[in-house]
């Protein structure tokens, strides 16, 4: 891959690349839509991701190219950049912007990106491109940021430059991922623990609905607002900063304070999901994959019925999984509204599963999903 990309870089810029980086994408095993509510989430980095090749130029210009998109950007180095429409280069530009805002001197750079994460599939192609850019700039300009600083910076890019009120999970997962491990993140304290992801006789499979979706245009921000409304109402009697500061029992005792029906449903999902992550961690640590699988299904149905971010595509994948005795558990992963589902499939049964889910989905939805074996991989780095 590196040699092919080097060749492409040469073709485009007529000189060799000087630096190579890679940042993965992620799937979330459990803990959905609770990162921005101070919850616990359990994502892992995957082997699909974003490659970045860099060389310096003496023209004081940023040149941004991607092998995935036709649009290019050539811009002189200025103090501040603005977002341009929905272009892919907003993500790296947002990162450059924050480096500049923080007073770092950035010289002219030629960037070439290549990603093998299907775009808009909910596997965090945007966090991957942000983190790979931030990691590279930190490296080449000796900016001195810690990995956690870079994660926080990229979340700001998403929130302030792109305009999505997302949490910190995706950036955290693609930065701190570890081979064979899930990253259990406490999104309130911003600490994490690498949990051994030993799925025993099962393996992790990703099923992409192939439903086109644009996260920033979806109802993501509306749901986040519902959660905020629920929090404001609970705060009348409870001294809390986040919904996930309370557990399900306490929520049940105070939920009468939430007078808006949507806010109540979202909060119930969030708080129960946070409790599920705690139980799921115990299940994973003790090798109880069937319990872990049950919790995945419970998470899915909560996202479908209470948080309302699933859809017929994701639901039909999960329905199929429930009917297949070789599957221990399945759920939508990421923001929802299309994107991907994940399933725990018995080792050696990938082909049979794949054939079955493709047939079922195609009959119900009218086009085929894509099915991949997920390899749990390391976070961002130099390659
Ligand atoms: C997107 C956001 C994350 C998280 C998930 C849902 O991926 O970027 O911060 O909220 O949705 O869990």
């Amino acid at each position: 891959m590196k040699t092919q990309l080097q060749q492409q870089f040469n073709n485009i810029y007529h000189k060799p690349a000087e630096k190579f980086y890679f940042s993965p994408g992620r799937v979330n095993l459990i803990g959905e839509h609770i990162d921005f509510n101070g919850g616990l989430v359990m994502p892992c980095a995957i082997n699909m991701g974003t490659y970045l090749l860099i060389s310096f130029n003496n023209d004081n210009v940023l040149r941004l190219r991607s092998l995935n998109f036709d649009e290019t950007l050539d811009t002189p180095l200025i103090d501040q950049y603005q977002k341009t429409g929905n272009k892919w280069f907003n993500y790296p530009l947002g990162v450059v912007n924050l480096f500049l805002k923080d007073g770092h001197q950035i010289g002219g750079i030629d960037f070439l990106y290549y990603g093998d994460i299907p775009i808009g599939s909910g596997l965090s192609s945007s966090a991957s491109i942000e983190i790979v850019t931030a990691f590279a700039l930190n490296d080449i300009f000796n900016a001195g940021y810690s990995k956690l600083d870079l994660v926080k910076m990229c979340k700001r890019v998403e929130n302030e430059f792109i305009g999505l009120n997302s949490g910190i999970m995706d950036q955290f997962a693609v930065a701190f991922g570890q081979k064979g491990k899930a990253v259990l993140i406490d999104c309130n304290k911003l600490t994490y623990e690498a949990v051994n992801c030993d799925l025993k006789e099962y393996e992790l499979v990703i099923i992409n609905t192939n439903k086109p979706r644009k996260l920033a245009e979806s109802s993501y921000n509306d749901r986040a607002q519902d959660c905020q409304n629920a929090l404001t109402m609970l705060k009348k009697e409870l001294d809390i900063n986040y919904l996930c500061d309370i557990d399900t029992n306490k929520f049940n005792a105070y939920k009468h304070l939430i007078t808006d029906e949507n806010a109540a449903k979202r909060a119930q999902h969030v708080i129960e999901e946070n409790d599920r992550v705690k139980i799921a961690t115990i299940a994973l640590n003790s090798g109880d994959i069937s319990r872990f699988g049950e919790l995945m299904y419970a998470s899915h149905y909560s996202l479908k019925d209470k948080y309302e971010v699933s859809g017929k595509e994701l639901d039909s994948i999960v329905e199929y999984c429930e009917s297949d005795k070789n599957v221990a558990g399945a759920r939508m992963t990421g923001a929802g509204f299309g994107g991907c589902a994940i399933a725990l499939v018995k080792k050696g049964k990938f082909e049979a599963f794949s054939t079955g889910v493709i047939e079922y989905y195609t009959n119900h939805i009218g086009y085929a999903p894509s099915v991949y074996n997920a390899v749990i991989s390391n976070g961002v780095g130099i390659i």
Side-chain angles (χ1 to χ4, degrees), residues 26 31-33 35-36 166-170 215 220 334-335:
R26 66 98 191 89
E32 214 67 84
H33 285 281
D35 55 348
F36 52 88
S166 53
I168 205 156
M169 171 173 75
D170 303 346
L215 189 56
Y220 187 97

Side-chain angles (χ1 to χ4, degrees), residues 208-323:
N208 187 349
T209 59
N210 289 332
K211 179 187 179 186
R213 147 194 105 104
K214 200 80 187 79
L215 189 56
E217 289 161 12
S218 71
S219 310
Y220 187 97
N221 287 348
D222 296 343
R223 297 293 184 280
Q225 187 57 52
D226 289 340
C227 294
Q228 192 53 47
N229 295 346
L231 179 65
T232 307
M233 293 187 231
L234 288 174
K235 274 179 144 185
K236 284 186 192 139
E237 286 187 27
L238 291 171
D239 180 20
I240 53 173
N241 295 320
Y242 291 109
L243 287 179
C244 292
D245 288 348
I246 55 174
D247 65 8
T248 306
N249 285 338
K250 192 145 192 186
F251 177 69
N252 286 337
Y254 286 89
K255 65 180 178 201
H256 60 272
L257 294 174
I258 308 176
T259 49
D260 176 81
E261 198 190 327
N262 278 341
K265 277 200 283 184
R266 312 309 181 221
Q268 192 167 355
H269 160 76
V270 165
I271 291 160
E272 289 174 354
E273 180 80 350
N274 195 44
D275 284 353
R276 262 190 295 274
V277 178
K278 292 178 194 161
I279 308 168
T281 307
I282 298 169
L284 193 59
N285 281 331
S286 59
D288 190 348
I289 305 306
S290 98
R291 180 77 182 115
F292 194 90
E294 283 167 17
L295 293 161
M296 288 172 76
Y297 284 128
S299 168
H300 181 81
Y301 282 103
S302 180
L303 288 157
K304 171 180 182 284
D305 300 326
K306 297 182 184 134
Y307 208 76
E308 297 181 290
V309 289
S310 186
K312 63 181 192 315
E313 298 81 6
L314 288 163
D315 292 343
S316 81
I317 292 170
V318 172
E319 262 160 45
Y320 171 79
C321 289
E322 285 173 304
S323 73

Side-chain angles (χ1 to χ4, degrees), residues 26-331:
R26 66 98 191 89
V27 291
N28 186 17
L29 296 181
I30 194 156
E32 214 67 84
H33 285 281
I34 65 172
D35 55 348
F36 52 88
N37 289 301
L40 290 168
V41 296
M42 201 195 279
C44 39
I46 54 173
N47 59 335
M48 293 182 257
T50 313
Y51 297 82
L52 170 59
L53 285 73
I54 278 180
S55 81
F56 302 95
N57 66 57
N58 295 321
D59 313 327
N60 246 8
V61 166
L62 297 179
R63 297 193 182 92
L64 292 156
R65 306 275 184 281
S66 164
L67 296 179
N68 301 90
F69 301 95
D70 290 336
E71 300 113 8
T72 61
L73 181 74
D74 285 34
T75 173
L77 273 160
I78 50 172
D79 293 345
Q80 279 266 331
Y81 293 98
Q82 298 297 326
K83 182 181 165 193
T84 338
N86 285 328
K87 303 275 191 273
W88 70 271
F89 48 70
N90 286 322
Y91 295 97
L93 211 54
V95 174
V96 169
N97 222 22
L98 285 189
F99 270 76
L100 293 172
K101 261 194 184 165
D102 263 7
H104 295 289
Q105 287 290 325
I106 289 188
I109 310 173
D110 300 325
F111 295 88
L112 178 64
Y113 292 87
Y114 169 68
D116 57 7
I117 305 174
I119 311 288
S121 61
L123 300 178
S124 288
S125 55
S126 50
S128 180
I129 190 170
E130 288 156 7
I131 287 286
V132 80
T133 308
F135 186 88
L137 293 179
N138 194 38
D139 180 44
I140 58 183
F141 295 114
N142 287 316
Y145 292 111
S146 69
K147 235 191 222 182
L148 186 58
D149 292 334
L150 299 178
V151 166
K152 289 183 191 163
M153 178 187 280
C154 292
K155 177 182 181 287
R156 281 182 62 198
V157 170
E158 201 72 58
N159 297 162
E160 295 165 18
F161 199 79
I162 305 295
L164 186 74
N165 297 331
S166 53
I168 205 156
M169 171 173 75
D170 303 346
Q171 290 80 6
F172 211 116
V174 305
F176 286 97
Q178 284 183 31
K179 200 171 176 186
K181 312 236 176 191
V183 192
L184 178 65
I185 309 167
D186 181 326
C187 300
N188 181 358
K189 299 195 189 109
L190 294 189
T191 53
Y192 80 102
E193 196 188 311
V195 179
N196 205 5
C197 197
D198 179 0
L199 299 171
K200 306 282 170 189
E201 69 267 39
Y202 291 92
E203 59 189 2
L204 187 62
V205 173
I206 301 174
I207 308 100
N208 187 349
T209 59
N210 289 332
K211 179 187 179 186
R213 147 194 105 104
K214 200 80 187 79
L215 189 56
E217 289 161 12
S218 71
S219 310
Y220 187 97
N221 287 348
D222 296 343
R223 297 293 184 280
Q225 187 57 52
D226 289 340
C227 294
Q228 192 53 47
N229 295 346
L231 179 65
T232 307
M233 293 187 231
L234 288 174
K235 274 179 144 185
K236 284 186 192 139
E237 286 187 27
L238 291 171
D239 180 20
I240 53 173
N241 295 320
Y242 291 109
L243 287 179
C244 292
D245 288 348
I246 55 174
D247 65 8
T248 306
N249 285 338
K250 192 145 192 186
F251 177 69
N252 286 337
Y254 286 89
K255 65 180 178 201
H256 60 272
L257 294 174
I258 308 176
T259 49
D260 176 81
E261 198 190 327
N262 278 341
K265 277 200 283 184
R266 312 309 181 221
Q268 192 167 355
H269 160 76
V270 165
I271 291 160
E272 289 174 354
E273 180 80 350
N274 195 44
D275 284 353
R276 262 190 295 274
V277 178
K278 292 178 194 161
I279 308 168
T281 307
I282 298 169
L284 193 59
N285 281 331
S286 59
D288 190 348
I289 305 306
S290 98
R291 180 77 182 115
F292 194 90
E294 283 167 17
L295 293 161
M296 288 172 76
Y297 284 128
S299 168
H300 181 81
Y301 282 103
S302 180
L303 288 157
K304 171 180 182 284
D305 300 326
K306 297 182 184 134
Y307 208 76
E308 297 181 290
V309 289
S310 186
K312 63 181 192 315
E313 298 81 6
L314 288 163
D315 292 343
S316 81
I317 292 170
V318 172
E319 262 160 45
Y320 171 79
C321 289
E322 285 173 304
S323 73
D324 184 332
K325 63 181 182 344
N326 293 313
V327 180
R331 57 185 289 277

